[in-house]
Amino acid sequence: MTTVRIPAGWPATEEQALAVQDELRERVVLDEPGPPPGTGRVTGVDVAYDDERDVVVAAAVVLDAATNAVVAEATAVGRVSFPYVPGLLAFREIPTVMAALDALPCAPGLVVCDGYGLAHPRRFGLASHLGVLTGLPTIGVAKNPFTFSYEEPGARRGSASSLLAGTDEVGRALRTQDGIKPVFVSVGHRVDLDNACAHTLALTPKYRLPESTRRADALCREALRQATA
């Protein structure tokens, strides 16, 4: 497990973090399709906290995109790097997530975050933030629609509806299993929305949530248990 220090110059106040978001948001790439689903590697990342001990743990799990078999995994532990502020959660997680990605023995390929990309009040959630800083193609697959509206998609797997901020589509509600609550997919960086949804379906052959982030969540929780034992 890699140990992480808070980077020098990391934002310490809400005002500083908002300024960084404004700067980095301009670098998001939205005109690339991204890697074809079912090819190369896909990496899930997830984070767990122990706020009482000021500990954050991140896990990265690399899958073969064709089979969803695990290729590699890594974890990192550090201090919580920013106070809890809605809309600025990436600043609590990014240093440790990047350390976990850096500790992988292979290139991660597409990165799938348990969270949001463009489906964010400031259009710059964790998936977009991580994509800009690493240059990797990223998507967000969230468990709930945050503050956005949507019509219920059809009951069959693969059905989708627009996730809307007013009239703007910021993502999609995607049914990954028949009759099960949808997940909420948004573009992070260097992937289009159609491909983001196709990747999500490829990663959910049995369960509601992608294999990438399901496995990262399990690894993360075990790593947190060990770090705080």
Side-chain angles (χ1 to χ4, degrees):
M1 185 182 296
T2 301
T3 302
V4 184
R5 294 183 180 274
I6 298 175
W10 194 250
T13 67
E14 183 174 350
E15 182 180 31
Q16 291 171 350
L18 291 172
V20 170
Q21 274 192 343
D22 288 340
E23 177 189 353
L24 296 182
R25 185 173 53 241
E26 301 302 317
R27 304 184 195 176
V28 174
V29 174
L30 300 175
D31 60 355
E32 293 185 16
T39 64
R41 298 186 184 114
V42 176
T43 296
V45 296
D46 202 4
V47 173
Y49 297 95
D50 186 325
D51 282 308
E52 290 185 0
R53 294 179 172 86
D54 191 29
V55 171
V56 57
V57 172
V61 178
V62 185
L63 305 183
D64 180 316
T67 64
N68 286 335
V70 175
V71 174
E73 57 187 37
T75 57
V77 61
R79 288 174 50 210
V80 176
S81 54
F82 196 79
Y84 174 78
V85 179
L88 297 177
L89 296 185
F91 290 93
R92 290 167 61 86
E93 303 178 356
I94 285 281
T96 316
V97 171
M98 290 183 66
L101 288 171
D102 287 343
L104 290 170
C106 58
L110 174 80
V111 177
V112 182
C113 299
D114 179 17
Y116 308 93
L118 292 184
H120 179 273
R122 294 170 58 81
R123 304 297 183 270
F124 197 69
L126 173 64
S128 297
H129 200 148
L130 185 63
V132 168
L133 291 182
T134 63
L136 295 168
T138 56
I139 65 173
V141 182
K143 302 178 186 71
N144 62 69
F146 205 6
T147 60
F148 303 108
S149 62
Y150 69 100
E151 293 186 0
E152 194 70 18
R156 300 299 299 274
R157 169 176 159 85
S159 299
S161 62
S162 294
L163 191 62
L164 298 172
T167 59
D168 295 333
E169 185 180 50
V170 295
R172 286 185 193 147
L174 177 67
R175 193 86 65 188
T176 54
Q177 298 298 327
D178 291 354
I180 298 298
K181 182 180 177 181
V183 297
F184 301 91
V185 181
S186 58
V187 169
H189 182 62
R190 298 183 57 206
V191 183
D192 65 31
L193 188 53
D194 287 342
N195 249 0
C197 290
H199 278 288
T200 302
L201 287 173
L203 289 163
T204 52
K206 297 180 180 180
Y207 302 103
R208 176 186 176 227
L209 299 177
E211 283 298 300
S212 49
T213 41
R214 285 183 67 253
R215 292 175 181 270
D217 174 72
L219 179 62
C220 204
R221 291 177 186 276
E222 175 59 22
L224 180 63
R225 186 191 66 78
Q226 294 179 13
T228 57

PDB file of all heavy atoms in Angstrom, residues 97-113:
ATOM      1  N   VAL A  97      -6.296   8.862  -4.864  1.00  0.00           N
ATOM      2  CA  VAL A  97      -6.673   8.109  -6.068  1.00  0.00           C
ATOM      3  C   VAL A  97      -5.524   8.107  -7.079  1.00  0.00           C
ATOM      4  O   VAL A  97      -5.197   7.062  -7.663  1.00  0.00           O
ATOM      5  CB  VAL A  97      -7.946   8.696  -6.701  1.00  0.00           C
ATOM      6  CG1 VAL A  97      -8.209   8.071  -8.071  1.00  0.00           C
ATOM      7  CG2 VAL A  97      -9.154   8.469  -5.801  1.00  0.00           C
ATOM      8  N   MET A  98      -4.904   9.257  -7.277  1.00  0.00           N
ATOM      9  CA  MET A  98      -3.798   9.315  -8.232  1.00  0.00           C
ATOM     10  C   MET A  98      -2.623   8.460  -7.773  1.00  0.00           C
ATOM     11  O   MET A  98      -1.941   7.828  -8.590  1.00  0.00           O
ATOM     12  CB  MET A  98      -3.376  10.771  -8.454  1.00  0.00           C
ATOM     13  CG  MET A  98      -4.414  11.573  -9.219  1.00  0.00           C
ATOM     14  SD  MET A  98      -3.914  13.275  -9.581  1.00  0.00           S
ATOM     15  CE  MET A  98      -2.539  13.004 -10.700  1.00  0.00           C
ATOM     16  N   ALA A  99      -2.375   8.410  -6.461  1.00  0.00           N
ATOM     17  CA  ALA A  99      -1.298   7.560  -5.947  1.00  0.00           C
ATOM     18  C   ALA A  99      -1.594   6.090  -6.196  1.00  0.00           C
ATOM     19  O   ALA A  99      -0.694   5.310  -6.532  1.00  0.00           O
ATOM     20  CB  ALA A  99      -1.101   7.819  -4.459  1.00  0.00           C
ATOM     21  N   ALA A 100      -2.854   5.683  -6.031  1.00  0.00           N
ATOM     22  CA  ALA A 100      -3.219   4.293  -6.321  1.00  0.00           C
ATOM     23  C   ALA A 100      -3.023   3.977  -7.804  1.00  0.00           C
ATOM     24  O   ALA A 100      -2.511   2.909  -8.156  1.00  0.00           O
ATOM     25  CB  ALA A 100      -4.656   4.034  -5.891  1.00  0.00           C
ATOM     26  N   LEU A 101      -3.429   4.900  -8.675  1.00  0.00           N
ATOM     27  CA  LEU A 101      -3.220   4.691 -10.108  1.00  0.00           C
ATOM     28  C   LEU A 101      -1.727   4.614 -10.441  1.00  0.00           C
ATOM     29  O   LEU A 101      -1.300   3.773 -11.236  1.00  0.00           O
ATOM     30  CB  LEU A 101      -3.878   5.815 -10.906  1.00  0.00           C
ATOM     31  CG  LEU A 101      -5.407   5.813 -10.966  1.00  0.00           C
ATOM     32  CD1 LEU A 101      -5.915   7.099 -11.590  1.00  0.00           C
ATOM     33  CD2 LEU A 101      -5.925   4.609 -11.748  1.00  0.00           C
ATOM     34  N   ASP A 102      -0.939   5.485  -9.831  1.00  0.00           N
ATOM     35  CA  ASP A 102       0.504   5.481 -10.095  1.00  0.00           C
ATOM     36  C   ASP A 102       1.172   4.193  -9.619  1.00  0.00           C
ATOM     37  O   ASP A 102       2.220   3.800 -10.153  1.00  0.00           O
ATOM     38  CB  ASP A 102       1.168   6.675  -9.400  1.00  0.00           C
ATOM     39  CG  ASP A 102       0.857   7.999 -10.067  1.00  0.00           C
ATOM     40  OD1 ASP A 102       0.402   7.991 -11.231  1.00  0.00           O
ATOM     41  OD2 ASP A 102       1.060   9.048  -9.422  1.00  0.00           O
ATOM     42  N   ALA A 103       0.579   3.543  -8.612  1.00  0.00           N
ATOM     43  CA  ALA A 103       1.174   2.323  -8.069  1.00  0.00           C
ATOM     44  C   ALA A 103       0.861   1.083  -8.903  1.00  0.00           C
ATOM     45  O   ALA A 103       1.420   0.015  -8.643  1.00  0.00           O
ATOM     46  CB  ALA A 103       0.692   2.116  -6.630  1.00  0.00           C
ATOM     47  N   LEU A 104      -0.014   1.204  -9.879  1.00  0.00           N
ATOM     48  CA  LEU A 104      -0.348   0.055 -10.725  1.00  0.00           C
ATOM     49  C   LEU A 104       0.863  -0.366 -11.557  1.00  0.00           C
ATOM     50  O   LEU A 104       1.626   0.484 -12.029  1.00  0.00           O
ATOM     51  CB  LEU A 104      -1.507   0.395 -11.656  1.00  0.00           C
ATOM     52  CG  LEU A 104      -2.870   0.577 -11.004  1.00  0.00           C
ATOM     53  CD1 LEU A 104      -3.860   1.161 -12.014  1.00  0.00           C
ATOM     54  CD2 LEU A 104      -3.401  -0.743 -10.444  1.00  0.00           C
ATOM     55  N   PRO A 105       1.023  -1.664 -11.812  1.00  0.00           N
ATOM     56  CA  PRO A 105       2.149  -2.133 -12.626  1.00  0.00           C
ATOM     57  C   PRO A 105       1.894  -2.045 -14.126  1.00  0.00           C
ATOM     58  O   PRO A 105       2.763  -2.443 -14.911  1.00  0.00           O
ATOM     59  CB  PRO A 105       2.291  -3.594 -12.184  1.00  0.00           C
ATOM     60  CG  PRO A 105       0.893  -4.001 -11.837  1.00  0.00           C
ATOM     61  CD  PRO A 105       0.266  -2.790 -11.228  1.00  0.00           C
ATOM     62  N   CYS A 106       0.727  -1.555 -14.525  1.00  0.00           N
ATOM     63  CA  CYS A 106       0.387  -1.462 -15.945  1.00  0.00           C
ATOM     64  C   CYS A 106      -0.443  -0.213 -16.181  1.00  0.00           C
ATOM     65  O   CYS A 106      -0.961   0.402 -15.245  1.00  0.00           O
ATOM     66  CB  CYS A 106      -0.384  -2.698 -16.406  1.00  0.00           C
ATOM     67  SG  CYS A 106      -1.918  -2.980 -15.490  1.00  0.00           S
ATOM     68  N   ALA A 107      -0.571   0.163 -17.442  1.00  0.00           N
ATOM     69  CA  ALA A 107      -1.397   1.317 -17.791  1.00  0.00           C
ATOM     70  C   ALA A 107      -2.864   1.013 -17.496  1.00  0.00           C
ATOM     71  O   ALA A 107      -3.341  -0.089 -17.763  1.00  0.00           O
ATOM     72  CB  ALA A 107      -1.218   1.664 -19.260  1.00  0.00           C
ATOM     73  N   PRO A 108      -3.598   1.990 -16.946  1.00  0.00           N
ATOM     74  CA  PRO A 108      -4.971   1.686 -16.526  1.00  0.00           C
ATOM     75  C   PRO A 108      -5.999   1.643 -17.637  1.00  0.00           C
ATOM     76  O   PRO A 108      -7.074   1.083 -17.462  1.00  0.00           O
ATOM     77  CB  PRO A 108      -5.289   2.826 -15.550  1.00  0.00           C
ATOM     78  CG  PRO A 108      -4.388   3.937 -15.938  1.00  0.00           C
ATOM     79  CD  PRO A 108      -3.146   3.298 -16.473  1.00  0.00           C
ATOM     80  N   GLY A 109      -5.721   2.254 -18.792  1.00  0.00           N
ATOM     81  CA  GLY A 109      -6.740   2.343 -19.830  1.00  0.00           C
ATOM     82  C   GLY A 109      -7.840   3.306 -19.410  1.00  0.00           C
ATOM     83  O   GLY A 109      -7.583   4.324 -18.759  1.00  0.00           O
ATOM     84  N   LEU A 110      -9.085   2.987 -19.748  1.00  0.00           N
ATOM     85  CA  LEU A 110     -10.226   3.803 -19.333  1.00  0.00           C
ATOM     86  C   LEU A 110     -10.411   3.692 -17.822  1.00  0.00           C
ATOM     87  O   LEU A 110     -10.354   2.609 -17.262  1.00  0.00           O
ATOM     88  CB  LEU A 110     -11.495   3.312 -20.030  1.00  0.00           C
ATOM     89  CG  LEU A 110     -12.808   3.975 -19.583  1.00  0.00           C
ATOM     90  CD1 LEU A 110     -12.970   5.329 -20.250  1.00  0.00           C
ATOM     91  CD2 LEU A 110     -13.996   3.076 -19.901  1.00  0.00           C
ATOM     92  N   VAL A 111     -10.667   4.830 -17.163  1.00  0.00           N
ATOM     93  CA  VAL A 111     -10.889   4.831 -15.710  1.00  0.00           C
ATOM     94  C   VAL A 111     -12.363   5.103 -15.423  1.00  0.00           C
ATOM     95  O   VAL A 111     -12.948   6.055 -15.949  1.00  0.00           O
ATOM     96  CB  VAL A 111     -10.006   5.883 -15.016  1.00  0.00           C
ATOM     97  CG1 VAL A 111     -10.312   5.928 -13.519  1.00  0.00           C
ATOM     98  CG2 VAL A 111      -8.528   5.567 -15.239  1.00  0.00           C
ATOM     99  N   VAL A 112     -12.951   4.258 -14.584  1.00  0.00           N
ATOM    100  CA  VAL A 112     -14.353   4.378 -14.193  1.00  0.00           C
ATOM    101  C   VAL A 112     -14.406   4.797 -12.728  1.00  0.00           C
ATOM    102  O   VAL A 112     -13.896   4.099 -11.852  1.00  0.00           O
ATOM    103  CB  VAL A 112     -15.106   3.047 -14.384  1.00  0.00           C
ATOM    104  CG1 VAL A 112     -16.577   3.207 -14.017  1.00  0.00           C
ATOM    105  CG2 VAL A 112     -14.964   2.550 -15.820  1.00  0.00           C
ATOM    106  N   CYS A 113     -15.022   5.943 -12.467  1.00  0.00           N
ATOM    107  CA  CYS A 113     -15.135   6.474 -11.110  1.00  0.00           C
ATOM    108  C   CYS A 113     -16.522   6.197 -10.541  1.00  0.00           C
ATOM    109  O   CYS A 113     -17.516   6.253 -11.262  1.00  0.00           O
ATOM    110  CB  CYS A 113     -14.907   7.988 -11.107  1.00  0.00           C
ATOM    111  SG  CYS A 113     -13.280   8.500 -11.679  1.00  0.00           S
TER     112      CYS A 113
END
